[in-house]
Amino acid sequence: MFGLVLSGGGLRGAVHVGFLAALDEIGITPDFIVGTSAGSIAAALYASNAPGTLQLDKISSKDLICPLRHDWRLLFLPSRIFRRVLGKFFGLPMGLLSGRHLEWILAQLITTHEFHQLKIPIAVVTCDISNGNSVVFTRLNPLIIKNNVKYSSNCSVIKAVRASSSIPGIFAPIKIDGHLLVDGGVVNNCPADIARHLGATKVVAVDLGFIDKEETPPDNAIEILMQSSEIMGQRLSNFITDRYADLTLRPETGPVSLIDFGEIPRLYELGGKLAYENLRAINKVHKKKTP
């Protein structure tokens, strides 16, 4: 079985969509796709729509940004006194933004809502923030089960992808089937091991990695939070892909923020270019005889 693995990477996930579209043009179809965060969005887009279709024409940049549902309690967080009062009587917010608008956006893009209805299987990797376990939503049955990885099909595709894309501290976690879930990249940003556990004998991974910002250092809290998380996760991703992937592709995307929507066409084209430039290596893995 040929498994394709797509990493997280924020808006740079448009690279994955272009990559999938190019594979479809070439005539290479994975048996299943495993995705984390942005990778899960691309996987769900591909598996639920026409191959490689990114239907961002349905919504505008304004729709993507607003109306973001802020938590009113955030206004008082700078004050130590108000933090104590809020924490005692009202509780403190679990994220800067509600995940409801993110879920609405996903609903505009992903046309198939149930895992068993997708044209090819996908696996969506999330993280249970309460205990650090990976929770993987898929209709596939794992061949290998690890204690720190839980599998479930008791969720809609959209809610699973929302959970996998809920960047900690930015989007509030979502509770599904007793698990408090956040971005899967917290524990496994490029889950080539999950692909193996689900039965893949041939694995190609696209790892967007973290962006080197030595020339343009992060200049706000959100960018610092994201960069720190990406740096911590990259070493683990390198270890996992080195051990479990037959081929790992790492495109050079350059710096892209969460709201650089104008970069989507360039990133989409970059994904297609990545597929064609590495076609020989991809074909070598794809045509490799199963042991």
Side-chain angles (χ1 to χ4, degrees):
M1 292 181 69
F2 173 41
L4 179 63
V5 177
L6 305 177
S7 79
L11 202 65
R12 294 179 296 139
V15 169
H16 294 320
V17 183
F19 184 82
L20 286 165
L23 287 189
D24 189 71
E25 292 175 358
I26 294 165
I28 297 176
T29 303
D31 292 303
F32 65 89
I33 305 173
V34 182
T36 292
S37 195
S40 74
I41 296 175
L45 280 170
Y46 178 82
S48 67
N49 295 291
T53 300
L54 181 58
Q55 298 176 335
L56 284 180
D57 58 312
K58 288 184 176 180
I59 51 182
S60 67
S61 295
K62 182 179 180 181
D63 291 325
L64 288 168
I65 301 173
C66 299
L68 296 175
R69 301 170 66 92
H70 296 78
D71 193 310
W72 62 269
R73 293 168 294 177
L74 293 170
L75 298 174
F76 302 100
L77 287 184
S79 168
R80 180 182 301 176
I81 295 176
F82 276 112
R83 282 202 302 271
R84 289 182 179 179
V85 173
L86 287 169
K88 183 175 181 179
F89 295 103
F90 299 102
L92 293 175
M94 300 183 75
L96 295 175
L97 305 174
S98 165
R100 294 179 182 177
H101 189 63
L102 172 61
E103 193 169 329
W104 178 86
I105 294 171
L106 294 172
Q108 310 310 302
L109 302 173
I110 300 169
T111 60
T112 303
H113 294 184
E114 302 300 328
F115 279 93
H116 69 273
Q117 296 175 338
L118 296 171
K119 66 186 185 70
I120 65 170
I122 68 171
V124 175
V125 180
T126 71
C127 171
D128 187 331
I129 199 65
S130 299
N131 55 31
N133 289 335
S134 293
V135 179
V136 181
F137 293 98
T138 182
R139 74 177 192 234
L140 298 170
N141 295 316
L143 300 182
I144 300 173
I145 298 178
K146 299 289 186 178
N147 290 334
N148 62 343
V149 182
K150 311 299 179 184
Y151 292 89
S152 175
S153 59
N154 189 26
C155 179
S156 71
V157 174
I158 291 172
K159 285 194 178 295
V161 172
R162 169 190 165 179
S164 184
S165 306
S166 293
I167 302 169
I170 298 179
F171 290 106
I174 179 172
K175 195 165 188 177
I176 300 175
D177 202 21
H179 301 284
L180 189 63
L181 302 176
V182 298
D183 194 312
V186 171
V187 288
N188 200 341
N189 198 49
C190 196
D193 54 336
I194 300 298
R196 293 289 186 184
H197 297 165
L198 289 171
T201 54
K202 300 172 284 188
V203 176
V204 170
V206 181
D207 184 7
L208 299 178
F210 79 96
I211 301 173
D212 183 346
K213 292 190 175 181
E214 187 173 357
E215 295 183 1
T216 56
D219 60 1
N220 61 68
I222 291 178
E223 288 190 1
I224 289 173
L225 176 65
M226 291 190 63
Q227 184 74 352
S228 300
S229 177
E230 289 177 2
I231 290 172
M232 289 187 291
Q234 191 58 47
R235 286 196 176 187
L236 176 60
S237 292
N238 291 344
F239 173 80
I240 290 174
T241 53
D242 288 348
R243 183 173 181 181
Y244 292 100
D246 296 291
L247 173 66
T248 302
L249 304 176
R250 295 185 173 93
E252 294 289 338
T253 63
V256 180
S257 78
L258 282 174
I259 58 173
D260 283 341
F261 301 113
E263 290 287 298
I264 288 177
R266 178 185 70 82
L267 294 166
Y268 182 93
E269 291 181 7
L270 179 62
K273 184 178 179 181
L274 182 72
Y276 279 102
E277 288 183 346
N278 292 278
L279 180 56
R280 180 175 295 182
I282 295 169
N283 264 324
K284 185 177 179 180
V285 174
H286 184 233
K287 295 178 179 179
K288 184 180 74 172
K289 292 184 178 180
T290 302

